[in-house]
Amino acid sequence: MTSHLYAISVDAREPLRLARFWAGLLGREVVDDPYEGVALRPDGDADLRLRFLPTEVPKAGQNRIHFDLTSASPDAQRGTVARAIELGGRHVDIGQGAEEGHVVLADREGNEFCVIEAGNRFLAGCGSVGAVNCDGTQAVGYFWSAALGWPLVWDQDQETAVQSPRGGPKVTWSGPPLMPRHGRDRVHLDLAPPADGDREAEIDRLLSLGAARVGAGRHTADDVVLADPDGNEFCLLTPR
């Protein structure tokens, strides 16, 4: 059976502190994660789990995955920005133009995210985290559509996006040119087979789709670390 997207995981020097930032920003509850970190409880079946996992490696360069937060109104956008600043976030410049409607911020450990302006039709109905915005080619969007069994909801000008049939956040890939790498990505996707699934069979399926096996033990000895066709690492966890 196809694995499900269990979580978006963020490497953190102080996982609990960073989890509290995002809990306050998104209005979610911090819960223990059974795999060495902390997590935010999903709001519903279609919402992604966010995990914060310990690392000693400092952040270097701009992340290649970030969150796009939605806004119901201009006042709501301003409120989200103000709340992020109060929680310890800051404004950052990644080359965005002054005329653009979204606001680019960074959390307490410098991870970039965007607060999207009200009226964005592409993210309508996706929830507070409207998108997991990834750097990647059109081919890698096709890979993830097949890997997750999620339909493509956007495929234009080499930009792609997929979304769970249950709704929730979209996962998007921005197309070329690709951003430079600055060591191991701090934000990555975690997949898990269903509780009664066969992980070795799922590894074989993902390899047949174009993944490469990288190794094991990104965060625990049980992790299987793979890479998608663009070389982005992701973890296949034990069935759950």
Side-chain angles (χ1 to χ4, degrees):
M1 295 177 65
T2 301
S3 288
H4 60 278
L5 182 55
Y6 176 76
I8 305 298
S9 290
V10 182
D11 290 351
R13 301 293 296 274
E14 298 181 76
L16 181 57
R17 186 168 181 255
L18 191 58
R20 286 172 174 164
F21 170 90
W22 283 98
L25 187 59
L26 299 176
R28 296 192 187 181
E29 179 186 359
V30 176
V31 295
D32 289 336
D33 183 85
Y35 297 91
E36 297 191 4
V38 293
L40 302 190
R41 189 186 302 280
D43 281 344
D45 289 342
D47 285 317
L48 296 182
R49 180 185 299 268
L50 305 183
R51 303 170 75 208
F52 302 89
L53 304 172
T55 184
E56 296 299 321
V57 180
K59 183 177 184 293
Q62 184 180 333
N63 287 343
R64 301 175 72 251
I65 298 177
H66 70 267
F67 300 125
D68 285 340
L69 308 186
T70 58
S71 305
S73 67
D75 282 347
Q77 184 187 28
R78 288 189 287 269
T80 299
V81 172
R83 187 161 64 254
I85 300 300
E86 290 170 2
L87 291 167
R90 58 187 172 86
H91 290 271
V92 291
D93 183 357
I94 59 170
Q96 70 272 23
E99 73 284 355
E100 296 184 37
H102 64 274
V103 179
V104 184
L105 302 172
D107 66 20
R108 301 190 71 146
E109 294 202 7
N111 300 299
E112 302 85 3
F113 64 97
C114 294
V115 184
I116 305 300
E117 66 275 18
N120 184 292
R121 295 175 61 187
F122 180 68
L123 300 181
C126 292
S128 56
V129 180
V132 180
N133 192 314
C134 308
D135 188 59
T137 62
Q138 183 182 51
V140 89
Y142 293 169
F143 165 84
W144 281 105
S145 177
L148 295 172
W150 289 8
L152 283 164
V153 295
W154 182 263
D155 184 9
Q156 185 172 314
D157 299 327
Q158 300 190 64
E159 298 177 355
T160 52
V162 299
Q163 186 179 29
S164 167
R166 298 176 297 169
K170 294 175 178 175
V171 184
T172 69
W173 292 271
S174 55
L178 300 185
M179 296 167 56
R181 293 186 183 276
H182 302 279
R184 174 167 274 185
D185 290 333
R186 296 183 75 78
V187 186
H188 68 272
L189 280 61
D190 281 334
L191 277 61
D196 59 350
D198 181 335
R199 187 163 67 160
E200 289 304 315
E202 180 62 358
I203 291 170
D204 290 341
R205 187 185 73 89
L206 293 168
L207 295 176
S208 74
L209 293 173
R213 190 158 188 166
V214 175
R218 179 168 176 133
H219 293 289
T220 76
D222 289 332
D223 291 345
V224 174
V225 184
L226 303 170
D228 69 21
D230 277 357
N232 305 303
E233 289 186 3
F234 64 97
C235 292
L236 185 65
L237 308 179
T238 54
R240 63 196 66 188

